[in-house]
Amino acid sequence: MSLAISDALLAGRRVGLRAKEGVIVELGPNVTPRPEDATLDAAGAIVVPGLINGHTHAAMTLFRGYGDDLPLMQWLEEKIWPVERRLEPEDVYWGTRLACLEMVRTGTVRFWDMYWHPEAAARAVHDAGLRATVAAPLIDVDGRTKAMRAAALSSLDELAGAGERIEAGLAPHAIYTVSEDSLRWIAELAAERGLPVQIHLSETEQEVDDCLAAHRLRPAHYLDRAGLLSPHTVLSHGVWLDESELELIAARGAVLVTNPVANLKLAVGRIFPYPAARAAGIQVGLGTDGPGSNNSLDMFADMKLFALLQKHAARDSAAVDAAETWEIATGRRAPQLGAPRSLELGQPADFLLLRAGAPELSFGELPAALVYAASGAVVQSTVVAGRVLMRDGHVDGAEEVLARALERARHLGLAAPIGFPQNNPALA
Amino acid sequence: MSLAISDALLAGRRVGLRAKEGVIVELGPNVTPRPEDATLDAAGAIVVPGLINGHTHAAMTLFRGYGDDLPLMQWLEEKIWPVERRLEPEDVYWGTRLACLEMVRTGTVRFWDMYWHPEAAARAVHDAGLRATVAAPLIDVDGRTKAMRAAALSSLDELAGAGERIEAGLAPHAIYTVSEDSLRWIAELAAERGLPVQIHLSETEQEVDDCLAAHRLRPAHYLDRAGLLSPHTVLSHGVWLDESELELIAARGAVLVTNPVANLKLAVGRIFPYPAARAAGIQVGLGTDGPGSNNSLDMFADMKLFALLQKHAARDSAAVDAAETWEIATGRRAPQLGAPRSLELGQPADFLLLRAGAPELSFGELPAALVYAASGAVVQSTVVAGRVLMRDGHVDGAEEVLARALERARHLGLAAPIGFPQNNPALA
C-alpha cells in the first residue's frame, strides 16, 4: 500500500510526500506519484504531525452527557458504576469506534486507553485505523487480587494478536484501588514483558492525604517504593505532586500526562504544576481523559486550555507559549508516548492536512493559530501509517459507527439520545 | 422576505417554522411552506437560539497570532498600538467581515463590538447579516478630551443610518483611560439619547489599586459616582469586583460580561466571581473578547471554559451546570444584551440548526452536549432576522472575505500569512 500527496505546506515549504508500508519514503519539492499510489491532493493544505491523546477512556463516549454536573462520587456511584457493571464487549467496541471517529476528525492519531474489555477496544482501534496503547483498568480492592491478576494476564493474551498499530499495556487504576502487593506484581510483570504501565496519580488532594496517612509517603514516592516508576510508566494527572515527587519522576524517566479539562470539570482544586515539571525535566504529554468527564475528544480545545491555565496559574501571559504547547500535544515532549519523531524520511506516515482556507489558520504565526485560534474543525484529512482515515472531512462508515454506538447506549439504558425528552425551556 | 423550515427538533418536539419580515409567524408540527417562501430543510436538525457574544473587538481578526505569548503591555506597546495607528476604515471593514464570517459559522447571531472606525464595523455587520451593538472606544488621557468628544458625536452621526440590525452605543474604554469628567459627559449623552454604554471594568488588580489610590473608591463605586452604572451599561470582565461592587451593580441593573479566555490568556490573576454575581442578582453574559486576545470567536469553546473555570474556582463540580451556562451564552441571563426572549411566535427569527448526525450531540442531555461536547463545528445553518446566513456549512462570499482580510493584514504589515516563514521545527 502506497500513498502520494502533492502540493502541501510543511514547515513553510511546499512539498509532496510518498508513503509506503506506513513509512515516509519520499519528501521534497518534486515527488511524482507512481501508478500504484493512492493519492491525496493537498492543494495548499498545511501538513502537521498528528496529535497524541495521552490519557482517555475511549468507550465512555456512550456515557457522555449522562449525569453531568454531579459531584464526582455521586456521578460514579449513582450513574457510571451501575452501568459499567452491565458493559459487554460490543458496548466497548462501538463506544471506542465512535471515539476513534471523533479523534480522526479532530486530528488525533494515537491515544492511550484505559478501559474494560480492552480486547474489544483494541479491535475498534484496529478497525478504525488509529494507533493506541490499550489496557484494562486493574483494581483489587475488596480482596479481588486473584481475579484481578487472572484478568490482567488474560487481557494480555487477548491483546497479543491485536495488530501492529496496537500496543498492549497494564493499567493499575490508582494507588488507592490497587494493593501495594499487586502494584509490585504489576511492576514485575511489566518489566518481564516490556510493557508500558498507565496509572492515575495524584489527581485529588484526598489521594495525597490518604496516601500520607496510610504509608507516610506522598503518592509518587509510594509508587516508586512499589517499583512502578520507570521510563515505561505513564502517570495521568499529577495535579497535586510536590517538588520532591517531580524530581523523583524526572529521575525515573516516567511520563506525566496532564488532563486540564477533566481536572477543572471534576473540580480537583489545583492546576497541574507544569512549570515545575518542566524545570525538573519531566516528559509531559496531554490527554483529554474520558469523554464521560470532558466530554470532548478534540485535542485542539484541550491544548488551548492547557496553555491558558498555565498562563493563569503562573500569572504570566508568557509562561507557556504556543510552540511548546503544540509540541506537548503532538507528543514531542514525551517520546515514550509513541509519537513519530518528526515528519521525515523513514518515520511513520502519520500526519494531518489542515484546511488551506481556514480563517483561523490564515493570520500570524502558525503555532499560535493552531493552539489559540483553531479547533479540530480545521482538520481536513487524517493519515495514519500511510492510510487515509479521513479524506476532506469524510470518514468511511461514520454513519454506521454512530448508529451502532447509539444502539449500544440504548441497550445500556443510558439517557435517551436527544430529540427525546428535551423539554428544557432554555433550549428554545 | 419569508422563510420556511421543516422537520426540525425544537426543545424535543418536531416542528416547522415560518418567518416573515424577520419575525417568527408560524411554529408547530404542521407548517406548510408557501410558494413565496425561501426554504431550509432541517432534516432532523436541532433548532436552538443563537449565541450572543457580549464583548469583542471584532476587526482584531487581522491581529490574530501577531505577538502572542507576550506580556500584556509589551504586546500592546510594541505590537498592537503601532499598527492600530495606521488602521483605515477598510481594514476595520474587512477585519469585521472576517469576524462575522467566523461568528456565523460558529453560531453567534449578535455581538457587542468596541473598536475604531465603528461606522466601518457597522457596515460590515450589516453586509454580513448579523446583529450588533457597535461603539468606538473613547479615550481622553493626555488631554485629548475635546477631540474624543467630537469623535464620539461624529461616530454617532455616522452610525445613525447603519440599519435596523445595528445599534449604536458609547464605549468609554476604561476608568483609567477616560477622565471622570468625560465619564460624566458620556453618561449624560447616553441618557439623553437612550444609548447603551460598554466599558472594560475591573479587569486587572492594578486597575483596582490605581482606582483606590486615586479616588479612594473601588472601580464600580467610582463608575457609579460618574453616573455610568445604569441598566444600559454593559461592563466587561469584572474579574476583581468585590461583594459591595457586585451588590451595587445588581442594584443599578447593569450587565456584567465575563470573558474567561481573555482573562486567562492575559493572566489577570483571578477568576470572575460568578457565584457571587449570581447571588447578587446581576445579569450576566459571556464574551470572547477580541480575537487578538482569545484568539477564537467560537462561543462554544468559551462557554465550556466558563463552566469549567467556575467549577474549578468553587471546587465544586456542580457549581454551574450546563443549562445555566447555555442560558448565559445565549443572552437569556442578560436581557439587555438584546437576545430574543425565546423561539416563539412574534419573536425575532434568529436561530441555529445543529447537525442531526453530530456524535457530540447524540448522547445524553442536550445542554451538556452543547456545553461540554460540542464545538462551533456542530452548527449547520445560521438564521438571523429570518435570513439564512449559513446554509449547511456554506456562507456566500466566504472566500472573498478571507482574501480581502488577508490583503488588509498585509497592507498593515502584519506577520505574513502562514505558508511564509514557518520553519519552526515543532511543526514537522
Side-chain angles (χ1 to χ4, degrees):
Chain A
M1 206 174 73
S2 58
L3 171 75
I5 73 166
S6 53
D7 197 22
L9 277 171
L10 174 63
R13 293 164 298 143
R14 217 160 261 276
V15 299
L17 182 153
R18 276 190 85 237
K20 206 173 166 182
E21 285 163 23
V23 167
I24 300 174
V25 293
E26 279 186 65
L27 182 67
N30 301 306
V31 172
T32 316
R34 301 189 189 175
E36 71 270 26
D37 292 344
T39 57
L40 181 61
D41 180 6
I46 299 154
V47 192
V48 292
L51 302 165
I52 310 294
N53 188 341
H55 179 61
T56 190
H57 313 280
M60 291 186 82
T61 46
L62 304 186
F63 292 82
R64 194 145 56 181
Y66 178 64
D68 271 300
D69 302 316
L70 292 176
L72 175 60
M73 288 319 292
Q74 192 184 347
W75 177 62
L76 288 173
E77 289 173 6
E78 293 178 15
K79 297 285 178 178
I80 301 303
W81 289 344
V83 183
E84 284 193 336
R85 279 181 214 116
R86 302 197 301 272
L87 268 187
E88 294 173 10
E90 282 303 282
D91 301 321
V92 171
Y93 178 82
W94 288 108
T96 306
R97 281 297 300 268
L98 185 64
C100 289
L101 171 62
E102 296 180 33
M103 288 193 256
V104 165
R105 282 183 173 162
T106 54
T108 292
V109 295
R110 192 191 201 296
F111 64 103
W112 285 66
D113 195 49
M114 181 198 290
Y115 207 58
W116 311 107
H117 303 296
E119 70 293 346
R123 198 158 39 89
V125 175
H126 178 268
D127 293 350
L130 288 174
R131 300 184 194 271
T133 301
V134 175
L138 303 177
I139 293 179
D140 77 342
V141 284
D142 314 325
R144 285 185 287 155
T145 299
K146 213 169 148 182
M148 183 207 81
R149 294 185 186 184
L153 292 168
S154 79
S155 80
L156 291 177
D157 289 345
E158 287 167 10
L159 288 168
E164 60 183 20
R165 282 178 279 97
I166 290 132
E167 178 183 44
L170 291 167
H173 170 267
I175 57 169
Y176 54 89
T177 44
V178 182
S179 63
E180 186 167 1
D181 210 49
S182 286
L183 290 174
R184 255 178 236 291
W185 179 83
I186 291 164
E188 282 159 21
L189 181 63
E192 194 183 299
R193 303 208 186 177
L195 297 170
V197 174
Q198 305 171 54
I199 185 167
H200 298 108
L201 191 78
S202 206
E203 181 174 6
T204 65
E205 194 171 19
Q206 184 76 42
E207 178 182 340
V208 179
D209 293 345
D210 290 351
C211 189
L212 280 167
H215 311 293
R216 297 180 174 233
L217 289 171
R218 294 181 65 90
H221 293 281
Y222 172 68
L223 198 65
D224 190 50
R225 188 173 79 183
L228 258 179
L229 269 192
S230 88
H232 306 292
T233 309
V234 174
L235 309 165
S236 284
H237 300 302
V239 173
W240 289 90
L241 294 169
D242 76 4
E243 302 251 339
S244 76
E245 292 177 284
L246 292 169
E247 277 164 30
L248 177 66
I249 290 166
R252 296 290 184 263
V255 174
L256 248 180
V257 171
T258 177
N259 304 272
V261 171
N263 294 158
L264 296 185
K265 189 146 183 277
L266 299 176
V268 301
R270 196 168 182 236
I271 290 167
F272 172 65
Y274 174 69
R278 176 178 56 193
I282 295 176
Q283 297 186 52
V284 174
L286 180 67
T288 57
D289 209 340
S293 55
N294 182 310
N295 307 350
S296 162
L297 290 158
D298 182 346
M299 287 276 291
F300 279 90
D302 294 34
M303 77 177 90
K304 178 172 181 174
L305 182 60
F306 165 77
L308 292 177
L309 276 186
Q310 292 301 330
K311 290 166 188 288
H312 168 72
R315 239 180 134 160
D316 173 6
S317 61
V320 182
D321 71 14
E324 181 174 353
T325 301
W326 179 251
E327 288 182 6
I328 291 168
T330 52
R332 305 303 173 88
R333 296 257 173 157
Q336 288 160 53
L337 291 177
R341 198 174 61 232
S342 67
L343 290 177
E344 62 184 56
L345 289 183
Q347 287 287 307
D350 293 7
F351 56 85
L352 315 176
L353 297 184
L354 308 181
R355 293 180 200 292
E360 294 83 356
L361 298 181
S362 298
F363 294 82
E365 302 293 329
L366 187 54
L370 292 168
V371 174
Y372 303 128
S375 75
V378 302
V379 181
Q380 173 182 316
S381 300
T382 301
V383 176
V384 174
R387 195 174 143 212
V388 182
L389 305 186
M390 177 165 75
R391 179 184 289 268
D392 203 5
H394 179 82
V395 182
D396 283 342
E399 295 73 16
E400 192 202 351
V401 168
L402 177 59
R404 298 296 294 274
L406 281 169
E407 261 175 46
R408 301 313 301 187
R410 272 185 219 115
H411 158 262
L412 286 168
L414 294 172
I418 51 162
F420 267 93
Q422 297 296 339
N423 289 310
N424 189 323
L427 301 174
Chain B
M1 205 174 75
S2 57
L3 172 74
I5 72 164
S6 53
D7 197 23
L9 277 172
L10 174 63
R13 292 164 299 142
R14 216 160 260 276
V15 299
L17 181 154
R18 278 190 84 235
K20 206 172 166 184
E21 285 162 23
V23 166
I24 299 174
V25 293
E26 277 186 66
L27 183 67
N30 301 306
V31 172
T32 314
R34 302 188 188 176
E36 70 269 27
D37 293 343
T39 57
L40 182 61
D41 180 6
I46 300 156
V47 192
V48 292
L51 302 166
I52 309 295
N53 188 341
H55 179 62
T56 189
H57 313 281
M60 292 186 80
T61 46
L62 304 186
F63 292 82
R64 195 146 52 183
Y66 178 63
D68 271 299
D69 302 315
L70 292 176
L72 175 60
M73 288 319 293
Q74 193 184 347
W75 176 63
L76 288 172
E77 289 173 4
E78 293 178 18
K79 298 286 178 175
I80 301 302
W81 290 343
V83 182
E84 284 192 337
R85 279 181 214 115
R86 302 196 302 272
L87 267 187
E88 296 173 7
E90 283 303 281
D91 301 320
V92 171
Y93 177 81
W94 288 107
T96 307
R97 281 298 300 270
L98 185 63
C100 289
L101 171 62
E102 295 180 31
M103 288 193 256
V104 165
R105 283 183 172 162
T106 53
T108 291
V109 296
R110 191 189 201 296
F111 65 102
W112 285 66
D113 194 49
M114 181 197 290
Y115 207 58
W116 311 108
H117 303 296
E119 70 293 346
R123 198 159 38 88
V125 175
H126 177 268
D127 293 351
L130 287 175
R131 300 183 193 270
T133 300
V134 175
L138 303 176
I139 293 179
D140 77 343
V141 283
D142 314 323
R144 286 185 287 156
T145 299
K146 214 169 149 181
M148 182 207 81
R149 294 185 186 184
L153 292 168
S154 81
S155 79
L156 290 178
D157 290 347
E158 286 168 11
L159 287 169
E164 58 182 21
R165 282 178 280 97
I166 290 130
E167 178 184 43
L170 292 167
H173 170 267
I175 56 169
Y176 54 90
T177 45
V178 183
S179 64
E180 185 166 1
D181 212 48
S182 285
L183 288 174
R184 253 178 239 290
W185 179 84
I186 291 164
E188 283 159 19
L189 180 64
E192 195 182 300
R193 303 206 186 179
L195 296 171
V197 175
Q198 305 171 56
I199 186 167
H200 297 109
L201 191 78
S202 205
E203 182 174 4
T204 64
E205 193 171 21
Q206 184 77 42
E207 178 182 341
V208 178
D209 293 345
D210 291 351
C211 188
L212 280 167
H215 312 293
R216 299 182 172 231
L217 288 171
R218 295 181 65 91
H221 293 281
Y222 172 69
L223 197 66
D224 190 51
R225 187 172 81 183
L228 256 179
L229 268 192
S230 88
H232 306 293
T233 310
V234 174
L235 309 165
S236 283
H237 300 301
V239 172
W240 289 90
L241 295 169
D242 75 3
E243 300 250 339
S244 76
E245 292 176 284
L246 293 169
E247 276 164 29
L248 177 66
I249 290 166
R252 295 291 184 260
V255 173
L256 248 181
V257 170
T258 178
N259 304 273
V261 171
N263 295 157
L264 297 185
K265 189 149 183 278
L266 300 176
V268 301
R270 196 168 182 237
I271 290 166
F272 172 65
Y274 174 69
R278 175 177 58 191
I282 295 175
Q283 296 186 52
V284 174
L286 179 69
T288 57
D289 209 338
S293 55
N294 181 311
N295 304 349
S296 162
L297 290 158
D298 182 346
M299 286 277 288
F300 279 89
D302 293 34
M303 75 177 93
K304 179 173 181 174
L305 182 61
F306 165 77
L308 292 178
L309 276 186
Q310 292 301 330
K311 291 168 188 286
H312 168 71
R315 238 180 136 160
D316 173 6
S317 61
V320 182
D321 71 14
E324 181 173 353
T325 301
W326 180 250
E327 288 182 6
I328 290 168
T330 52
R332 306 302 173 87
R333 297 259 174 156
Q336 289 161 54
L337 290 179
R341 199 174 59 234
S342 66
L343 290 178
E344 61 184 58
L345 289 182
Q347 287 287 307
D350 293 7
F351 55 85
L352 316 176
L353 298 184
L354 309 181
R355 291 181 203 291
E360 295 83 357
L361 297 182
S362 299
F363 294 82
E365 303 292 329
L366 187 54
L370 291 167
V371 174
Y372 303 127
S375 76
V378 302
V379 181
Q380 171 182 319
S381 301
T382 301
V383 175
V384 174
R387 197 175 140 213
V388 182
L389 304 185
M390 177 165 75
R391 180 184 290 268
D392 202 7
H394 179 82
V395 181
D396 282 343
E399 294 73 15
E400 191 201 352
V401 168
L402 177 60
R404 299 296 294 274
L406 281 168
E407 261 175 50
R408 301 312 303 186
R410 273 186 219 114
H411 158 262
L412 287 168
L414 294 173
I418 51 161
F420 266 93
Q422 297 297 338
N423 289 312
N424 188 321
L427 300 174

